Amino acid sequence: RLADAKFFYKEDLQQPLEMYVKDLKGVTFQDKLGTMYEKTLRITHLAESLALKADLSKDQVEDAKRAAYLAKADLVTQTVVEFTSLQGIMGGYYAQASGENDVVAQAVAEHYKPRSQADSLPEKSVGKVVALADKLDSICGIFAIDEAPTGSSDPYQVRRQAIGIINILLELTNINLADSINESLSAYTESVDFDFENVHQEICDIFIGRRPV
């Protein structure tokens, strides 16, 4: 397995991480929500907006956009296809090997964080913004297609992602959650048919139920 991993890693490095992004057009995000490439475009736009709202510097805004654009690219690399638990982690390595700056590479590596209640948040503000954009996009999409968690069933880990968003927002206090949900949900209006106001309220409600006491 180690020999396989070494081989795949060397093969993946034959082209920069950016070149893998186009291949995300062949990877499904969710049957009703399109491809990972479409998700990439949404979170890139949202990450830029969130970074501006968080009062990040011009360089940080650009880093957030770049990291969001590259965040999912490793999903189509040979190493991650074979070793799925390394998604994000390998993206960080490939970003660095491709000449991306350290902030972008770290944000790519950490954008799935926090993966659980015990997991740490992304270290830097850029990483927090990208993680926030990714999680918001996923939650808004799932609610838009009426696949919200019910009872103990939460196949898309919406509740876990909601808790992660809350914890990130406790550190990015300039970002308004309701406004961010509105912006993220708006990105689905042309591709999914749903009642915007009702879905927006449903998403807000799931956060209210998980707010810190």
Side-chain angles (χ1 to χ4, degrees), residues 5-6 8-10 12-13 17 70-71 73-75 77-81 83-98 105 108-112 115:
K6 182 179 180 181
F8 293 144
Y9 176 69
K10 288 185 175 180
D12 290 338
L13 289 177
L17 184 61
L70 297 174
D74 70 346
L75 293 176
T77 62
Q78 294 186 59
T79 303
V80 173
V81 168
F83 304 96
T84 57
S85 64
L86 295 179
Q87 59 187 263
I89 297 170
M90 293 310 301
Y93 287 126
Y94 292 143
Q96 194 169 42
S98 300
V108 171
E110 296 183 344
H111 83 277
Y112 289 105
R115 296 175 186 260

Side-chain angles (χ1 to χ4, degrees), residues 129-177:
V129 163
V130 177
L132 182 59
D134 181 35
K135 291 171 174 57
L136 275 172
D137 178 78
S138 294
I139 290 177
C140 287
I142 294 305
F143 272 83
I145 61 171
D146 198 24
E147 294 285 349
T150 56
S152 60
S153 176
D154 190 5
Y156 298 104
Q157 300 182 319
V158 167
R159 296 185 183 101
R160 177 184 62 77
Q161 294 190 79
I163 292 171
I165 287 171
I166 290 170
N167 289 331
I168 291 171
L169 289 176
L170 289 172
E171 298 198 6
L172 297 178
T173 56
N174 288 337
I175 296 177
N176 180 280
L177 176 57

Side-chain angles (χ1 to χ4, degrees), residues 29 32 46 67 72 80 102 108 116 133 143 148 150 159 173 210:
F29 166 42
K32 299 178 182 178
L46 185 57
K72 305 299 182 183
V80 173
D102 290 343
V108 171
S116 67
F143 272 83
T150 56
R159 296 185 183 101
T173 56
R210 270 144 196 88

Side-chain angles (χ1 to χ4, degrees), residues 18 44 61-71 100 104 108 130:
E18 182 179 17
T44 300
V61 172
E62 290 302 314
D63 285 343
K65 286 172 57 181
R66 184 64 175 171
Y69 182 72
L70 297 174
E100 304 294 337
V104 169
V108 171
V130 177

